[in-house]
Amino acid sequence: MSSADEIKAPPTLRDKLRKLGLTRSTDLVLHLPIRYEDETALTSIATALDGVPLQVEAEVLVVRVSDASGELVLRFLNFYGSQTRQLERARDEAKRLRLFGEIRHGFLGAEMVHPRYRVVAEHEALPQSLTPVYPTTAGVSQAALRKLIVPALAADDLAELLDARWCAQHDLPAYADAVHLLHAPPPGVAENELQLRTHPAWRRIKFDEVLAQQLSLRRSYLARRQKGAPLLKSTGQLARQLLAKLHFALTGAQQRVCAEISHDLDQPYPMQRLLQGDVGSGKTIVAALAACQAIEAGYQAAFMAPTEILAEQHYLKLRTWLEPLGIEVAWLSGSLKKSVRRAMTLQAASTAQLVVGTHVLIQDSVDFARLGLVIVDEQHRFGVAQRLELRKKGGNPHQLMMSATPIPRTLAMSYYADLDVSVLDELPPGRTPIRTKLISDQRRNEVISRVRTTVASGRQVYWVCPLIEESEKLQLQTAIDTHIALCEELGDLRIGLVHGRLRGDEKIATMAAFAAGEIDVLVATTVIEVGVDVANASLMVIEHAERFGLSQLHQLRGRVGRGAHDSVCVLLYQKPLSETARARLKIIFENTDGFEIARQDLHLRGPGEFVGSRQSGVPLLRYADLEVDTDLIELARGMAEYLLREAPDRASQHLKRWLGSREELLKA
Ligand code: ADP
Ligand code: MG
């Protein structure tokens, strides 16, 4: 950053500004008001409405002020000596005050608490435009911000980077006009359009912001495409053999996605594809077919899952599918004994054709002989660090990321613009819909008897213990207590327990026993949240469901309804419910489609939560709203492609304007 760009302010103020993300003069230009106050008009005390922000001008009568129409009591919680003297002087000199605030009619008549006020000269004109109110932090006053922003607006380069005709066509004003208008709205501007951020000036700013996000993500996408990747050409022979052995046929969606992936693998640059599919949509077989293509082309495939339980389950499934075709499948996990692990690592480095495991797969000690394809299951569970590590793995393997946390379309289009996205939007046939029941924990007894009848009919049950965010230890204790309690209540049933603190092999043994039908009721923490697939389980009980997030509830519920049996998910909740907990439970009760649930979740929580693990890598949107500004996202996508192709210099200038030095951080 050139020092000319830097904000000129004393060091202490500069530190505080940095907290607001303001280091350059351009950052000040783009630090836009959260709202406006209307100081262009005066209201008389007598006609002032309660609770509406307004401005009066009045004479000082000690703690009272009066205008021609009436009196107003001022209340200050901390009244400084200097303030008293200032007000007394104003009174003695018969000067008037302009006060901005909300009036309430209380016991003492009309009063204003903590008004913003200032002494005015006689006949001082009212301001012509709305007063901007900026987001700020402790120790940086509105006045200080305004004093910095006005010169920044004058000095900063506000050059237009987009084609003026194109902007006019889309009703977007010029950049310079937009920022000037938003910092100092002229008289007569449609105030509610400003407040609601639907004014064309706001739309221009939001467009520019989304454009910066698209440019940054598309640019790193294109950069990764510059790298060569193994060509995974195949005749499809191996995949066909696998398909012939399955006891089901692919759904239309699976066939379409398989074709997309197969096409990508055939390209000389690495695939960067996100496969989204709701819980149970059949992502695993799609991944296995992709692996077949890599293997037939003479390369290795790696299949990584976020938990031991899931990785092991994939290992078993993939072995039964692929070993009969003569494919060597290896297993690698952190809980293997050292000697076994060393042997497996050697195998990965040499003969293994498919290696399944947890994130140990991407650790430095594991060297693949000729890695062609990396498959990441439940990718949202991996952190940024692991994603980076994966990118660093040699040979630029193709990447297939899979996720069962459906990302709403607008979110996928914006925050995931650096990936190609495939969607499995069809569930395999023959699934019976899961019935969801909301039951207060006062009726726990009824649930216990439902567990009995379920087991009596030969089915199995998951019992999920409450999530305790603050303490893993407490959560563990609750799981143990619940297990003891259920053993007492259901003494004649076989009850297992699985939680995060068990050793890897213990977890796996318990899950295997449950899968084999040797356990009737599995008491579990959220370790079973993702991927676990036991078709005979038909009842899921979730205790304290009000503590779980929506996507978690959806994932957990997806553990049942995997076979042809009638399945039920019981959400036990404890009263009283908070407003948001009630909203969440209502959504999960009324919806089974993961995309619809995700859309409503986005509405409830905003995008921050969805992109949590991507946060450090992706510029979050400050101004644009994914729900409201969908059309702008579409427009910006097209513009980003165009600029990167036709005017890369302007693309860079735009990125610099919006992201400044932060852009370096976004390469991840
Ligand atoms: P997810 O997308 O949640 O990972 P899975 O891959 O675990 O789903 O698939 C869920 C279940 O559906 C598995 O038992 C799988 O074998 C089965 N399955 C997958 N595709 C089909 C299909 N086309 N027809 C029938 N069953 C299928
Ligand atoms: Mg899965």
Side-chain angles (χ1 to χ4, degrees), residues 283-284 310 314 377-378 402 404 530-531 562:
K283 295 182 290 296
T284 321
L310 186 54
H314 280 324
D377 197 19
E378 308 293 347
M402 307 202 287
V530 289
R562 306 206 133 222

Side-chain angles (χ1 to χ4, degrees), residues 126 141 178 189 196 229 269 290 359 464 563 610 626:
L126 287 165
S141 69
V189 72
L196 296 172
Y269 44 79
H359 66 275
V464 177
F610 275 85
L626 294 180

Side-chain angles (χ1 to χ4, degrees), residues 41-57 66-72 101-105 110 112:
L42 294 174
T43 307
S44 69
I45 291 174
T47 60
L49 291 174
D50 263 25
V52 181
L54 50 82
Q55 177 175 242
V56 300
E57 186 174 305
S66 76
D67 66 5
S69 72
E71 276 189 21
L72 186 62
E102 291 175 15
I103 287 184
R104 306 218 177 261
H105 286 86
M112 244 186 197

Side-chain angles (χ1 to χ4, degrees), residues 243 246-251 254-255 429:
L243 283 172
L246 293 177
H247 64 272
F248 55 79
L250 295 186
T251 63
Q254 283 170 321
Q255 288 175 22

Side-chain angles (χ1 to χ4, degrees), residues 246-252 254 277-286 313-314 317 321 377-378 402-404 424 427-429 431 531-533 535 555 558-559 562:
L246 293 177
H247 64 272
F248 55 79
L250 295 186
T251 63
Q254 283 170 321
D278 206 346
V279 184
S281 58
K283 295 182 290 296
T284 321
I285 185 66
V286 172
Q313 184 188 290
H314 280 324
K317 181 102 168 226
W321 279 343
D377 197 19
E378 308 293 347
M402 307 202 287
S403 175
L424 280 180
L427 290 182
R431 300 270 164 88
V532 172
D533 187 24
Q555 289 275 341
R559 297 309 114 222
R562 306 206 133 222

Side-chain angles (χ1 to χ4, degrees), residues 563-582:
H565 317 295
D566 224 0
S567 297
V568 174
C569 175
V570 172
L571 304 175
L572 273 173
Y573 65 89
Q574 193 174 47
K575 287 190 265 199
L577 288 176
S578 73
E579 203 62 44
T580 41
R582 187 183 300 276

Side-chain angles (χ1 to χ4, degrees), residues 5 24-32 149-162 173-183 204-205 208 653-654 657-658:
D5 271 356
R24 309 165 306 154
S25 126
T26 310
D27 298 333
L28 286 168
V29 170
L30 291 173
H31 191 65
L32 295 168
I149 289 170
V150 169
L153 264 173
D156 203 52
D157 177 12
L158 307 182
E160 184 54 58
L161 299 174
L162 302 178
Y175 171 70
D177 295 344
V179 289
H180 276 295
L181 185 139
L182 293 176
H183 285 293
R204 170 64 202 251
I205 293 301
D208 279 19
Q653 275 174 281
H654 186 87
R657 178 176 280 169
W658 276 89

Side-chain angles (χ1 to χ4, degrees), residues 192-204:
N192 68 326
E193 284 185 15
L194 282 190
Q195 305 283 19
L196 296 172
R197 300 194 170 184
T198 53
H199 192 281
W202 266 123
R203 288 184 40 89
R204 170 64 202 251

